[in-house]
Amino acid sequence: MGRFAPSPTGPLHFGSLVAAIGSYCLARQEGGCWLVRIEDLDRPRVVPGAADEILRTLEDCGMEWDGPVLYQSCRTARYEAALERLRGAGLIFVCGCSRKEVLASAPHVGEEGPLYPGTCRERIVSGRRPRALRIRVPKDLFCYVDGVFGPREQRLSAAVGDFVLRRADGLFAYQLAVVVDDAECGVTQVVRGADLLSSTPRQIFLQTCLGYPVPDYIHLPLALAADGCKISKRDGAAAAAGEELWRALRFLGQPVPKSLCGAPPVEVVAWGVEYFRLERVPTASAAVGALTTS
Ligand code: GLU
């Protein structure tokens, strides 16, 4: 069971299309289901109308999903229940540090920026008001084998520290929501952009704490804008169709025939479902402008 989980922060850009077609082909070629989940938890970043536009683009591309679309904004009770279980296991603590205080007190920079130094781990600093809920991370090394990037490992305590599960503004963190949703929907294969490689150990840790199975992880190379930056949905890159799908498959190292460039989307997708091979997917991110049709 695969899935595609876009954040509705703008139209479906080329980088997201790469994740969509990759996850779709891999799920379908094993005869599996493919789910779509709209990750609209971070309300301040949600762009009105973007979710519908993304879904329309997927339809235009001939990528049909199974079952109803899941909206994270409707699932807060499920995240709350998971948080309660973690709290019951004694893993959660209330942190009173503002972002500024974390920055000022962080002695090291981890993979994801300043490393939370455990200021409120034992007890909230007196006089501070409760803000975020964090989870205590162990010193263990988390290892997994990515379907494209191979063996990966991360020591959460050194890379990120005790991370936030519920933010000071009351919003549930992506890390918790994604784990609860993937597990409750029976997702067994997570295919997504390589920008989330370093989130995976946090998610495996949460799966372990909650007694969920660990899905297979397959991270795809990032499509970069011509200037070498990650393409942002807010850049409003053109909506995708047959030619874009063809380019997305080429980007993923798949030898889709030139004759299919610009063919109806269903034909390009059908080729992908039949011939997509994970072994051909490169690990290096690349600028989209570097693609050729030869
Ligand atoms: N919502 C994330 C994004 O649009 C993807 C999350 C995931 O696939 O786990 O980048």
Side-chain angles (χ1 to χ4, degrees):
M1 169 105 64
R3 49 69 151 187
F4 174 55
S7 305
T9 51
L12 191 77
H13 62 73
F14 185 76
S16 296
L17 184 71
V18 165
I21 187 73
S23 61
Y24 185 89
C25 292
L26 287 165
R28 293 294 191 218
Q29 68 181 200
E30 289 175 16
C33 291
W34 188 68
L35 310 177
V36 172
R37 176 170 78 231
I38 300 291
E39 301 210 318
D40 57 353
L41 269 190
D42 194 349
R43 267 164 260 151
R45 292 185 58 229
V46 168
V47 172
D52 287 345
E53 196 175 338
I54 290 171
L55 295 174
R56 239 189 338 269
T57 306
L58 292 176
E59 278 172 350
D60 291 347
C61 288
M63 286 186 269
E64 288 179 11
W65 55 88
D66 295 290
V69 172
L70 203 74
Y71 289 83
Q72 287 191 324
S73 54
C74 302
R75 289 184 43 81
T76 48
R78 303 305 309 154
Y79 310 143
E80 190 66 60
L83 193 68
E84 276 315 304
R85 285 174 55 206
L86 296 169
R87 203 199 299 263
L91 292 166
I92 302 296
F93 67 92
V94 181
C95 178
C97 303
S98 65
R99 194 184 292 261
K100 234 193 199 151
E101 283 158 348
V102 171
L103 275 176
S105 62
H108 307 292
V109 175
E111 279 175 41
E112 302 268 308
L115 189 67
Y116 177 71
T119 317
C120 302
R121 198 173 215 238
E122 301 312 325
R123 189 175 321 106
I124 185 166
V125 173
S126 82
R128 285 193 186 161
R129 68 174 174 85
R131 290 175 190 263
L133 294 180
R134 292 181 182 267
I135 186 162
R136 292 189 179 84
V137 301
K139 296 231 174 329
D140 311 7
L141 195 60
F142 284 83
C143 306
Y144 71 101
V145 180
D146 184 84
V148 170
F149 287 79
R152 310 277 307 177
E153 57 176 44
Q154 190 186 65
R155 201 175 296 280
L156 289 177
S157 55
V160 283
D162 301 330
F163 56 96
V164 171
L165 294 189
R166 206 180 69 198
R167 297 173 5 182
D169 57 10
L171 294 183
F172 287 97
Y174 156 73
Q175 307 292 351
L176 179 67
V178 73
V179 160
V180 172
D181 290 340
D182 283 340
E184 292 193 356
C185 295
V187 169
T188 53
Q189 186 182 61
V190 171
V191 182
R192 59 188 180 188
D195 52 329
L196 291 165
L197 268 170
S198 68
S199 284
T200 305
R202 266 172 285 181
Q203 294 172 16
I204 294 175
F205 167 55
L206 289 176
Q207 286 150 359
T208 313
C209 296
L210 289 163
Y212 294 150
V214 176
D216 291 337
Y217 283 101
I218 298 169
H219 288 87
L220 303 176
L222 289 184
L224 305 175
D227 61 2
C229 299
K230 190 187 164 196
I231 303 174
S232 157
K233 278 176 209 164
R234 280 152 296 158
D235 288 348
E243 196 180 325
E244 290 290 280
L245 280 168
W246 184 94
R247 279 159 37 85
L249 285 169
R250 278 283 174 117
F251 179 81
L252 289 171
Q254 310 300 314
V256 49
K258 204 176 167 187
S259 59
L260 282 180
C261 184
V266 281
E267 288 179 29
V268 184
V269 171
W271 185 93
V273 170
E274 185 152 4
Y275 298 109
F276 193 98
R277 294 292 173 269
L278 207 47
E279 312 79 77
R280 298 188 188 120
V281 177
T283 52
S285 303
V288 177
L291 288 173
T292 62
T293 50
S294 58

